Amino acid sequence: MVIPGLLKSLDSPVQPPKSLDSPLQTVKQVQPRKSLDSLVQMVGSMQLSKSTESKSASSGSGAAGSDLGAAPFDICMGNSKGTVILKHGLLEINREKRRAKELSDIAPVQHLRPGMVLLKNFLKPDDQVKIIKHCRDLGVGPGGFYQPGYREGAKLSLRMMCLGKNWDPDSGSYGDIRRFDAAQPPKIPEELTKYVKDAIAASHEFLKQRGKGATNPDAELPVMSPDICIVNFYTTSGKLGFHQDNNEQRSSLARGLPVVSFSLGDTAEFLYGDVRDDDKASKIKLESGDVLIFGGQSRHIFHGVSSIAPKSAPLWVTDKANLRPGRLNLTFRQYNYKGSVNVTPAPFDTCVCDNNTAPLQHLRPGMVLLKKFLKANDQVEIFKLCHNLGVNARECLCLGKKCNQYSNSYGDMRPFDGAQPDIPEIFKKLVEDAIEASHEFLEQRRGTSNALVELPPMSPDMCTVRFDTIIPTIVLRQDTDVTETSLARELPVVSFWLGDSAEFLYPGIRDDVASKIDLESGDVLIFGSQSRRISHAVSSIKPRTAPMWLVDKTDLQAGLLNLTFRQYYHV
């Protein structure tokens, strides 16, 4: 039974996106022109159509590559012997020349925001042809292109191939084999790795010369060695919804290692922003040869592809590489970072509420914020466990010790039904990991000699779980309803935030002035020691800000799920 208020009804059918264009549909018939060689052109058109039909039959349709036995998708159009290659019209040639002139007037490197750089036309034509041919050769082999989807049957409107590790959209995680056919992902060709490193080096050189706030390029865009790559091919009707790239290892995400994205073929309209809201998103055009890099403070931006511009690819892309109409996109990442996470802390009086996405933030003595600490799989698991335990929007759920909301006290069982739900072990382990990560951060931070003094370790034996859709009134409160020994030891409160974003207030004393931060899905907030008795509150919930993948995987209704862990006893 689905609990009302937390989850939408599971009976509502999943509406799959429109089926991907078949390979036959993506190739447009060549219309004969009235000229002396029109007969030759008509023959060429017929041969091209026949060749395409043959390729279409071998490539499958609809969910090509998503079932065992389905032939892989070929991103290139085959050239049969005897096919007549038609010359480009004067209109096409002139349009190409105009675009080349426009590109010469555009800044070759653009600083879009802290940690986000666009290198226009960085990949040279010959390099683009090589990349397309690499992807084509790998794409028709084992572990090649297929149409990904979800267990419920919905398909993504693109073709995908993974290199290094396989990414599963249904679980939002990486693995060594592909689930539906047990294929191992191909390795990233060395030539592609070199292009990535060259792009990062060019970005660093630009940031050095730019100078404004970028005296240390590696701090804004850390160096990375790609070991995974997702290759997507969009037809001219392809799209990709707003999402975050946050399924890599915590060490990689905490270091802010960048995503490096190659665009080839048709032009895409690319959206990006700090919240999952299309209306507030910034927009840029990504053209063939462009390289987009985002890391550091921009590593967790929401982004997506809203549209593909038909017939916008350079002519040589089809002439030399035979790429189908559409866009080829490669996104490189480093799955795991084996070095230590060295975070430069912000001063205590620095505002951290506006677009500050440092992975760990020292808000005040004894108070640490871990941005996006909970991985996608962890968040999904937390939601499902809370749902099974009976969380709803009407009342607070207590785990471990049972809270009596009327007497503001705790007991060993719920007074109205005698239930005794305990804290799941996975929750305890995540709390332990968060405190350990905070200690490592505090030890590296200058001026903090003893992390255990600033944030004492604790073993949670009680947890309150709330699901809220709105905040009717702002009530500042203190978490002091534990034993005196626990309070005297100043054992910290650990708070998980999932779903929609919230504005959180934390004044040091009860007065009219409060500091504010935005808490997003996956954030963990810890406060203990000198900050253990601070007054705090949630002032608002921001609708439609939950990650799309979380909504898709949990049927989450709009709202905020908050878990607050404490240690009731201290011996």
Side-chain angles (χ1 to χ4, degrees):
M1 177 178 178
V2 179
I3 303 298
L6 175 61
L7 305 179
K8 291 183 283 191
S9 173
L10 296 179
D11 296 331
S12 58
V14 176
Q15 296 297 330
K18 291 182 179 179
S19 177
L20 188 68
D21 293 343
S22 69
L24 177 58
Q25 290 173 322
T26 63
V27 180
K28 297 195 179 293
Q29 293 289 329
V30 179
Q31 297 299 326
R33 296 160 54 196
K34 293 182 180 181
S35 63
L36 293 176
D37 58 351
S38 61
L39 179 59
V40 175
Q41 291 176 341
M42 290 175 65
V43 172
S45 174
M46 292 165 60
Q47 289 174 329
L48 177 60
S49 175
K50 183 177 180 181
S51 171
T52 305
E53 288 175 4
S54 175
K55 182 62 66 177
S56 175
S58 66
S59 297
S61 62
S66 60
D67 300 313
L68 288 172
F73 177 75
D74 193 341
I75 62 172
C76 294
M77 299 179 289
N79 276 333
S80 302
K81 289 184 178 180
T83 300
V84 177
I85 305 299
L86 303 181
K87 292 183 179 181
H88 295 292
L90 187 59
L91 182 63
E92 292 176 304
I93 295 173
N94 287 337
R95 183 175 59 204
E96 188 95 336
K97 289 180 179 178
R98 284 196 304 271
R99 187 56 193 148
K101 186 178 184 305
E102 290 172 1
L103 284 173
S104 65
D105 297 331
I106 295 175
V109 186
Q110 301 174 21
H111 190 255
L112 302 180
R113 52 177 282 162
M116 191 172 186
V117 172
L118 173 61
L119 293 86
K120 291 295 296 181
N121 203 30
F122 181 80
L123 298 169
K124 303 308 176 191
D126 288 345
D127 295 334
Q128 294 184 52
V129 172
K130 289 178 184 178
I131 294 170
I132 292 171
K133 289 185 175 179
H134 272 303
C135 292
R136 189 268 169 189
D137 292 342
L138 294 172
V140 296
F145 284 104
Y146 75 107
Q147 187 176 7
Y150 300 101
R151 279 194 188 92
E152 297 86 354
K155 299 289 183 181
L156 299 180
S157 57
L158 50 79
R159 306 284 174 150
M160 184 174 77
M161 170 177 66
C162 297
L163 307 179
K165 280 185 173 292
N166 180 71
W167 181 73
D168 181 7
D170 195 60
S171 64
S173 61
Y174 288 95
D176 294 326
I177 61 171
R178 200 159 64 183
R179 188 182 70 242
F180 69 86
D181 62 357
Q184 291 186 336
K187 293 182 178 179
I188 301 175
E190 285 298 323
E191 194 168 13
L192 302 191
T193 300
K194 183 179 182 303
Y195 293 142
V196 172
K197 292 181 177 179
D198 289 347
I200 294 176
S203 298
H204 281 181
E205 184 62 30
F206 164 75
L207 292 172
K208 283 180 183 178
Q209 295 177 4
R210 183 173 182 269
K212 297 179 181 179
T215 53
N216 184 0
D218 188 49
E220 182 166 355
L221 272 181
V223 174
M224 74 99 168
S225 298
D227 52 16
I228 54 176
C229 175
I230 296 179
V231 186
N232 289 329
F233 181 82
Y234 303 78
T235 64
T236 52
S237 61
K239 295 181 180 180
L240 185 61
F242 242 27
H243 67 285
Q244 294 170 302
D245 291 337
N246 57 6
N247 296 136
E248 292 71 45
Q249 290 287 293
R250 281 186 187 139
S251 58
S252 177
L253 295 173
R255 183 72 176 89
L257 300 186
V259 175
V260 179
S261 174
F262 293 177
S263 293
L264 303 102
D266 284 331
T267 300
E269 183 178 69
F270 182 83
L271 310 180
Y272 65 94
D274 291 307
V275 296
R276 187 174 57 82
D277 189 339
D278 294 4
D279 296 332
K280 297 180 181 179
S282 300
K283 300 178 182 180
I284 54 172
K285 289 184 178 180
L286 295 180
E287 300 174 289
S288 194
D290 289 354
V291 175
L292 179 66
I293 306 178
F294 53 96
Q297 293 187 40
S298 292
R299 181 57 178 82
H300 294 284
I301 60 167
F302 289 91
H303 57 281
V305 174
S306 58
S307 63
I308 305 294
K311 299 181 179 179
S312 55
L315 299 180
W316 48 262
V317 168
T318 50
D319 290 348
K320 294 184 179 181
N322 294 322
L323 184 68
R324 291 182 181 277
R327 175 185 183 241
L328 182 66
N329 175 233
L330 297 82
T331 54
F332 299 87
R333 303 155 202 167
Q334 184 172 338
Y335 179 68
N336 190 23
Y337 178 71
K338 296 182 180 179
S340 61
V341 178
N342 185 15
V343 180
T344 303
F348 172 68
D349 57 352
T350 298
C351 175
V352 295
C353 57
D354 294 329
N355 301 333
N356 189 334
T357 54
L360 289 94
Q361 301 174 18
H362 190 254
L363 303 181
R364 50 170 289 152
M367 191 172 186
V368 172
L369 173 61
L370 295 84
K371 294 294 294 181
K372 310 291 184 183
F373 183 80
L374 299 172
K375 294 177 61 178
N377 286 347
D378 295 333
Q379 295 184 53
V380 171
E381 184 68 16
I382 291 170
F383 261 105
K384 290 181 177 178
L385 284 173
C386 289
H387 167 58
N388 293 336
L389 289 168
V391 177
N392 59 52
R394 293 188 297 272
E395 62 184 41
C396 173
L397 172 70
C398 296
L399 307 176
K401 285 286 181 182
K402 312 306 174 287
C403 175
N404 187 325
Q405 299 180 59
Y406 302 102
S407 64
N408 197 30
S409 61
Y410 287 87
D412 292 328
M413 64 179 62
R414 287 198 302 222
F416 62 90
D417 64 358
Q420 296 177 292
D422 200 2
I423 302 175
E425 287 300 318
I426 183 176
F427 292 2
K428 296 180 180 179
K429 178 66 168 58
L430 290 170
V431 170
E432 180 183 326
D433 290 346
I435 294 176
E436 183 179 342
S438 299
H439 285 168
E440 182 179 349
F441 164 67
L442 291 172
E443 287 170 1
Q444 294 179 2
R445 185 178 187 273
R446 294 188 299 273
T448 303
S449 57
N450 191 340
L452 298 180
V453 172
E454 181 162 358
L455 273 182
M458 75 98 169
S459 300
D461 55 13
M462 56 184 288
C463 173
T464 55
V465 187
R466 293 189 60 90
F467 183 80
D468 294 301
T469 55
I470 59 172
I471 303 296
T473 57
I474 301 175
V475 180
L476 288 171
R477 60 183 299 273
Q478 294 173 305
D479 290 330
T480 55
D481 43 6
V482 295
T483 61
E484 286 298 326
T485 54
S486 179
L487 282 177
R489 186 70 178 85
E490 296 178 326
L491 302 184
V493 175
V494 178
S495 185
F496 293 175
W497 304 82
L498 302 97
D500 284 335
S501 300
E503 184 180 71
F504 183 83
L505 310 180
Y506 61 101
I509 57 174
R510 287 182 181 273
D511 55 24
D512 295 332
V513 180
S515 299
K516 299 178 183 180
I517 50 172
D518 285 337
L519 295 176
E520 302 170 292
S521 192
D523 288 355
V524 175
L525 180 65
I526 305 178
F527 52 96
S529 185
Q530 296 181 47
S531 295
R532 179 59 180 83
R533 297 174 188 260
I534 62 168
S535 300
H536 56 278
V538 172
S539 59
S540 64
I541 295 175
K542 301 180 180 181
R544 295 178 57 209
T545 53
M548 180 61 74
W549 53 262
L550 188 59
V551 176
D552 290 343
K553 294 179 185 300
T554 62
D555 257 355
L556 168 71
Q557 189 186 29
L560 167 69
L561 180 67
N562 172 238
L563 295 81
T564 303
F565 300 88
R566 285 160 282 186
Q567 184 172 340
Y568 186 72
Y569 292 112
H570 177 70
V571 179

